[in-house]
Amino acid sequence: MWRYVSSRQLEGFRRYKYNAVDTNPLSVYIMQPIWNKIIKIVPLWIAPNLLTFSGFVMILVNYFLISFYDWDYTASGTSPGLVPTWVWLFSAFTTFCAYALDSIDGKHARRTQSSTPLGELFDHGLDSWATSIFVLSFFSVCSRDNGKTGVSVYTMYIYLSIVLFNFMCSHWEKYNTGVLFLPWGYDISQVVLITAYLLTGAVGVEVWQKPFLFGYYITDALVILLIGFSLFLSFPQTLYNIHRAHLKKTLKNDSLYEVLLPLVSPLLLFILLTVWVVFSPSNILEKQPRLFLWMVGVTFSNVICKVIICQMSSTQPELLHWFLFPLALVVYAAISGLLGWTEEAALATFTALVTAAHLHYGVCVGMQLSEHLNIYIFSLKKRVQE
């Protein structure tokens, strides 16, 4: 087992205390009462992490099912009906189940008195990956631009980047304040996704190909809402909460360098990815949108997982994540023309390697914390110490 978590971080996990604030009216007044009823039917012998992992598996199953019918994001545009109706209804079902399981796992942990730092890390680590997968699945509903309707692959990239930026801001905020202010966008996005899948299953993908209001399509409205929500609500709220912690002398980091440090690797990651998208000689995003966007989600998840570990263990993150170095080499080779016609093969190879590295990282970190905290990941039983 490769030991990714340092001894100092392991000790920090022992001192960690969960602190979160939820002010979203949709969550507080509508969804929480629903989750409180659902949690009562979960058997007490089931480990909370099993709920978390089951939800993530459902997200993956849904993603790979949609990918099977619509690998290049054209099935809903050029060939409506290629994706069977039952797939959209299944997507609505799996999305709701994943949403529910992700919402009740913490409640179940408190209910069974099994709340641990490992459980929170497991939850947020999978969330960092699931966030991109939700978006990539939804793109099949919209379809890529076919000259008449649909969304361009570049808009998809921007859309995904904004969603991941919002996720990053939440954990950057917690890194500096010690409090996770649960983002309003999560519950809203889940309800929108479920509604979109149900609408597509009931009416067909044609609903996304007709002007909705003043000549704008529903997808246009969603992109405008996302950008507006991010720029005028989510990000300003993050800055306000950090500033308020500074005024109250509760900010966890003293210097501006320490405050901004967790942002360096994620921002460099998106700079490198954007350079590849813009200057690719073969228009790699046009040719392999699903593969490229999957790679974006995986690399982001690994970078943010390390930030989450540092935030929970009260340690300082590294300045440059190691993924940045091989990515920089691939990007340079691609935009300089060194890769030539092998650029797609290089993308596929790099994507496979970072996905394997991310899986290895997740498994090893889980096993390491399981051993250190003397608990099992998927069982409520205590480990037998040697």
Side-chain angles (χ1 to χ4, degrees):
M1 180 178 62
W2 192 274
R3 296 191 173 273
Y4 289 101
V5 185
S6 68
S7 56
R8 185 183 171 198
Q9 289 174 328
L10 290 173
E11 288 307 312
F13 271 104
R14 285 198 177 275
R15 297 188 298 269
Y16 174 75
K17 299 293 182 184
Y18 179 65
N19 189 5
V21 175
D22 188 0
T23 59
N24 183 2
L26 173 61
S27 172
V28 174
Y29 298 109
I30 299 178
M31 303 313 300
Q32 291 299 331
I34 295 175
W35 308 143
N36 289 335
K37 291 183 182 299
I38 292 178
I39 192 66
K40 294 178 181 178
I41 65 175
V42 179
L44 292 173
W45 56 265
I46 291 181
N49 287 338
L50 195 56
L51 300 179
T52 309
F53 187 67
S54 297
F56 181 72
V57 169
M58 298 189 82
I59 296 169
L60 279 179
V61 169
N62 179 58
Y63 172 78
F64 288 123
L65 177 65
I66 291 178
S67 299
F68 174 77
Y69 285 101
D70 183 30
W71 175 256
D72 56 0
Y73 292 116
T74 59
S76 297
T78 56
S79 306
L82 189 60
V83 180
T85 298
W86 70 265
V87 171
W88 302 123
L89 298 178
F90 180 77
S91 297
F93 172 73
T94 54
T95 302
F96 175 78
C97 289
Y99 178 28
L101 291 168
D102 187 48
S103 299
I104 68 173
D105 54 3
K107 293 178 181 292
H108 186 62
R110 291 184 288 274
R111 180 174 171 240
T112 55
Q113 298 182 342
S114 58
S115 298
T116 65
L118 172 58
E120 182 181 341
L121 178 62
F122 192 73
D123 185 12
H124 292 165
L126 290 180
D127 284 345
S128 70
W129 197 355
T131 299
S132 64
I133 299 174
F134 276 128
V135 178
L136 300 189
S137 297
F138 176 71
F139 286 155
S140 283
V141 172
C142 308
S143 174
R144 67 188 291 180
D145 186 15
N146 59 11
K148 297 180 180 179
T149 60
V151 178
S152 77
V153 291
Y154 300 101
T155 302
M156 290 180 182
Y157 174 70
I158 294 171
Y159 191 106
L160 176 62
S161 299
I162 292 173
V163 171
L164 297 180
F165 173 78
N166 282 332
F167 187 92
M168 177 188 71
C169 284
S170 295
H171 289 279
W172 174 56
E173 179 181 42
K174 189 182 180 188
Y175 173 83
N176 286 293
T177 64
V179 180
L180 178 62
F181 295 89
L182 297 172
W184 285 27
Y186 174 67
D187 291 279
I188 295 172
S189 65
Q190 295 301 295
V191 172
V192 169
L193 277 175
I194 295 167
T195 304
Y197 287 134
L198 289 174
L199 182 64
T200 306
V203 182
V205 295
E206 290 78 12
V207 70
W208 305 95
Q209 301 167 10
K210 298 176 183 177
F212 172 64
L213 190 65
F214 303 118
Y216 288 95
Y217 295 84
I218 298 178
T219 50
D220 296 329
L222 290 176
V223 171
I224 292 171
L225 285 174
L226 174 67
I227 295 173
F229 183 88
S230 301
L231 294 180
F232 300 110
L233 182 61
S234 181
F235 187 57
Q237 185 66 37
T238 294
L239 295 179
Y240 171 74
N241 288 331
I242 293 176
H243 178 66
R244 187 174 62 175
H246 172 69
L247 294 178
K248 290 183 175 181
K249 309 295 184 183
T250 58
L251 202 63
K252 295 181 66 179
N253 302 289
D254 299 324
S255 68
L256 183 62
Y257 171 79
E258 290 177 318
V259 169
L260 298 178
L261 185 58
L263 298 180
V264 175
S265 285
L267 292 179
L268 286 176
L269 172 67
F270 281 104
I271 288 173
L272 285 172
L273 292 169
T274 303
V275 167
W276 194 357
V277 167
V278 174
F279 296 104
S280 169
S282 64
N283 292 321
I284 192 66
L285 188 59
E286 287 277 1
K287 288 189 174 181
Q288 292 291 346
R290 188 175 288 279
L291 196 61
F292 190 93
L293 296 176
W294 171 270
M295 181 269 293
V296 172
V298 173
T299 51
F300 170 83
S301 178
N302 196 268
V303 170
I304 292 301
C305 278
K306 291 201 170 188
V307 173
I308 294 172
I309 287 176
C310 291
Q311 166 254 305
M312 292 182 66
S313 60
S314 297
T315 56
Q316 195 175 88
E318 58 194 357
L319 179 64
L320 299 175
H321 189 285
W322 75 269
F323 271 13
L324 296 175
F325 299 102
L327 176 62
L329 288 176
V330 173
V331 172
Y332 172 76
I335 66 176
S336 65
L338 289 175
L339 292 178
W341 59 271
T342 65
E343 186 176 359
E344 289 182 63
L347 169 63
T349 302
F350 182 74
T351 301
L353 290 175
V354 294
T355 301
H358 188 45
L359 289 171
H360 183 265
Y361 177 80
V363 171
C364 288
V365 168
M367 292 174 63
Q368 197 176 349
L369 280 172
S370 170
E371 179 184 280
H372 181 71
L373 298 173
N374 193 35
I375 56 176
Y376 288 109
I377 300 176
F378 297 118
S379 173
L380 294 178
K381 297 179 180 179
K382 289 284 186 181
R383 292 170 62 101
V384 177
Q385 291 183 316
E386 297 180 358

